């Protein structure tokens, strides 16, 4: 399958400072690709190069096989994007703002504008000035603006920034729908794993302008998949004995907690066994993926994410 | 082409969605209304005109003015007497004050117009950077050059529409207050030391033509500064400062030979067409036009280059 977007050995230097170093990855149609990294990692800079706002120092970005460098118009016509904040003309109402961008591309009817407006649920706000919109409404306007021309690649730079959990869930729903129903390749950047983990198929992690890793995301853990379980119990020693009696498991004691690696479906049995044998269970936590650990390693302990 | 017209339309929509643009029209209209009311109430203008025996009327008027001058040394009517004599000598019937004469008085608003266009030109590019919308403009399948050109042409369209607005508004108000006499009006005015009959329409156009030279150059300068620094306050401030201080700087430097190459030594072309001297001796119209054109092209190129070639990086 041809990638919807491909980064090939991408570099960016500003002055003597190398901001992006040898970035390469591909994103495929119908895929939601997370672009994760701490603040200052170079996410926005990479996105600016993807959409031609910044010149590429070396390497290339290809959109459906067309180079942004050599054929900007041919490449960019398939792209919709929000770069950094979703900025609009504050003195114009929502409709006029969308109409403005619609005029810059061929064949966008009023019908189509109404369609994207209803997709992001802003019908009631169209007559209001954008300056009065909440951050969430502006994020949605940004998405509407990016979708007008039915792009095959959608780039969203920190679309969950400043949104409450309900807003994030809503955005996650549009994004999944676009990817699954319209085969759009979506790139979502964020500095918070928790905000994009649930919407992405794959997540790349970058730090200091370099790619650290690209990982598949297993969203809902399968029943027969092994997860690491931590239990806060009392008394600890009795609990360990009870578990080892019923299951063939290696149980590790950490102060007042126990940890073990089990399949998801055995968790209820373990808890049931403990309760029956009069052990107090205070907390059960699972660590699902290795992604969190990797991201934590990258971010470091003292970084405010 | 369709694309380009859409870009022009976008610029117009953005411009007229803001109160600041409308306030410029309101200011122009207010000045014209105020001037009209003052002229109508306090102005000593004759809207009645002269009768069939206007020659006798003029003569009688002159005699009366002469008598007043002999009685009191404070009464100075020489200009009026000379003007009346010119009418008599040339056998031109004086026309009453009307909408045309009223409209011709507003060439002084040309400076105002230049000021407004500098403000608009400064905002067209810098505004997009301030709002952050430049990013959404540049990620469309349209070349940056086209976007740049649409913005520059917008300055010209707006200049033209403000000029037409001023003209029409003054004509309509003038007709209401003073009436209107014919479609090809003339007036007699002092040109140098001589009285002269001129066509008012031609007079208005030629006055505005000269103002337009300064307006276009200053607006282009502001456009360039805002494109280079992406900041409208700086573009407005710097350009208006130069508009006011430019001439003084030239006078201060006029002993140097190279001073004649300074933009502001050349920007006022009036001296080549009427009374007055060019700022530095030995300058000719051709010289000034060439200097102005050179600056103009440099401003345009610099603004185009800065707009189309530079990265749009973060703040
Ligand atoms: N115009 C610029 N000039 C110099 N350095 C810049 C510029 N823009 C961004 N940077 C630097 O590049 C790095 C990456 O920034 P950015 O791409 O905005 O990171 P992110 O979006 O991942 O938070 C940062 O260290 C930032 O300071
Ligand atoms: Mg960023």
């Amino acid at each position: 399958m041809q990638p919807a977007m491909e980064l090939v050995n991408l570099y960016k230097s500003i002055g003597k400072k190398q901001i992006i170093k040898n970035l390469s990855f591909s994103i495929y149609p119908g895929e939601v690709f997370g672009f994760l990294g701490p603040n200052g990692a170079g996410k926005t800079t990479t996105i600016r190069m993807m959409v031609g706002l910044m010149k590429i120092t070396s390497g290339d970005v290809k959109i459906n096989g067309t180079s942004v460098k050599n054929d900007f118009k041919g490449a960019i016509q398939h792209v919709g994007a929000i770069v950094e904040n979703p900025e609009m003309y504050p003195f114009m109402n929502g409709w006029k703002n969308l109409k403005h961008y619609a005029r810059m591309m061929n064949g966008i009817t009023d019908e189509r504008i109404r369609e994207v407006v209803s997709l992001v649920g802003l019908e009631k706000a169209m007559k209001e000035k954008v300056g009065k919109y909440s951050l969430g409404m502006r994020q949605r306007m940004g998405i509407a603006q990016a979708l007008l021309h039915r792009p095959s690649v959608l780039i969203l730079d920190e679309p969950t920034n400043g949104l409450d959990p309900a807003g994030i869930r809503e955005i996650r729903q549009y994004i999944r729908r676009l990817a699954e129903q319209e085969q759009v390749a979506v790139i979502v950047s964020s500095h918070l794993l928790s905000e994009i983990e649930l919407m992405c198929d794959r997540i790349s992690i970058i730090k200091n302008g370099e790619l650290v890793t690209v990982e598949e995301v297993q969203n809902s853990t399968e029943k027969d998949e092994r997860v690491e379980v931590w239990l806060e119990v009392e008394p600890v020693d009795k609990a360990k004995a009870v578990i080892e009696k019923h299951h063939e498991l290696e149980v590790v004691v950490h102060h007042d907690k126990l940890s073990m690696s089990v399949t998801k479906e055995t968790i209820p049995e373990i808890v049931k066994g403990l309760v029956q044998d009069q052990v107090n269970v205070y907390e059960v936590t699972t660590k699902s993926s290795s992604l969190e650990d990797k991201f934590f390693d990258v971010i470091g302990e003292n970084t405010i994410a | 082409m369709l694309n380009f017209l859409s870009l022009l339309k976008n610029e117009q929509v953005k411009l007229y969605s803001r109160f600041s643009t409308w306030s410029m029209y309101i200011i122009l209209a207010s000045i014209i209304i105020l001037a009209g009311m003052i002229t109508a109430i306090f102005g000593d203008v004759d809207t009645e005109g002269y009768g069939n025996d206007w020659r006798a009327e003029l003569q009688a008027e002159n005699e009366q003015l002469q008598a007043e001058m002999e009685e009191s040394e404070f009464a100075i009517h020489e200009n009026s007497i000379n003007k009346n004599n010119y009418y008599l000598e040339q056998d031109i019937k004086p026309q009453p004050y009307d909408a045309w004469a009223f409209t011709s008085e507003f060439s002084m608003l040309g400076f105002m117009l230049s000021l407004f266009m500098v403000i608009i030109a400064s905002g067209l590019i810098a505004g997009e950077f301030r709002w952050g919308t430049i990013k959404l403009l540049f990620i469309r399948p349209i070349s940056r050059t086209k976007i740049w050109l649409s913005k520059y042409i917008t300055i010209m369209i707006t200049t033209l529409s403000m000029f037409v607005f001023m003209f029409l508004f003054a004509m309509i108000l003038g007709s209401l207050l003073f009436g209107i006499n014919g479609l090809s009006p003339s007036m007699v005015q002092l040109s140098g030391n001589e009285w002269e009959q001129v066509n008012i329409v031609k007079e208005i156009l030629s006055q505005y033509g000269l103002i337009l030279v300064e307006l276009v150059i200053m607006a282009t300068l502001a456009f360039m500064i805002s494109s280079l620094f992406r900041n409208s306050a700086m573009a407005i401030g710097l350009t208006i400062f130069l508009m006011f201080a430019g001439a003084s700087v030239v006078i201060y430097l006029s002993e140097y030979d190279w001073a004649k190459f300074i933009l502001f030594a050349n920007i006022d072309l009036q001296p080549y067409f009427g009374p007055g001297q060019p700022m530095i001796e030995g300058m000719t119209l051709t010289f000034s036009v060439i200097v102005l054109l050179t600056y103009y092209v440099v401003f345009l190129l610099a603004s185009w280059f800065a707009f189309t070639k530079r990265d749009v990086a973060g703040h």
Side-chain angles (χ1 to χ4, degrees), chain B residues 46-47 95-103 174-175 178-182 185 200:
Chain B
D46 172 24
T47 56
Q95 295 200 354
Y97 191 85
D98 72 346
W100 289 108
F102 179 65
T103 304
S175 316
F178 312 111
I180 185 163
N181 296 301
I200 292 185

Side-chain angles (χ1 to χ4, degrees), chain A residues 43-44 84 157-158:
Chain A
K43 302 179 296 292
T44 300
E84 231 149 33
D157 193 7
E158 311 248 5

Side-chain angles (χ1 to χ4, degrees), chain B residues 111-158:
Chain B
F111 182 74
M112 204 86 191
L113 215 58
S114 299
L115 221 58
F116 290 164
M117 292 328 295
V118 164
I119 292 170
I120 285 178
S122 301
L124 283 176
I125 289 178
E128 304 282 359
F129 280 92
R130 190 173 70 242
W131 301 311
T133 44
I134 191 75
K135 292 177 292 191
L136 295 183
L137 287 187
F138 278 179
I139 60 169
R140 310 290 156 187
I142 295 180
S143 72
R144 290 190 187 186
T145 299
K146 265 194 187 167
I147 296 174
W148 174 81
L149 193 64
S150 75
K151 288 191 173 288
Y152 189 69
I153 290 178
T154 297
I155 303 174
M156 303 302 143
I157 294 175
T158 314

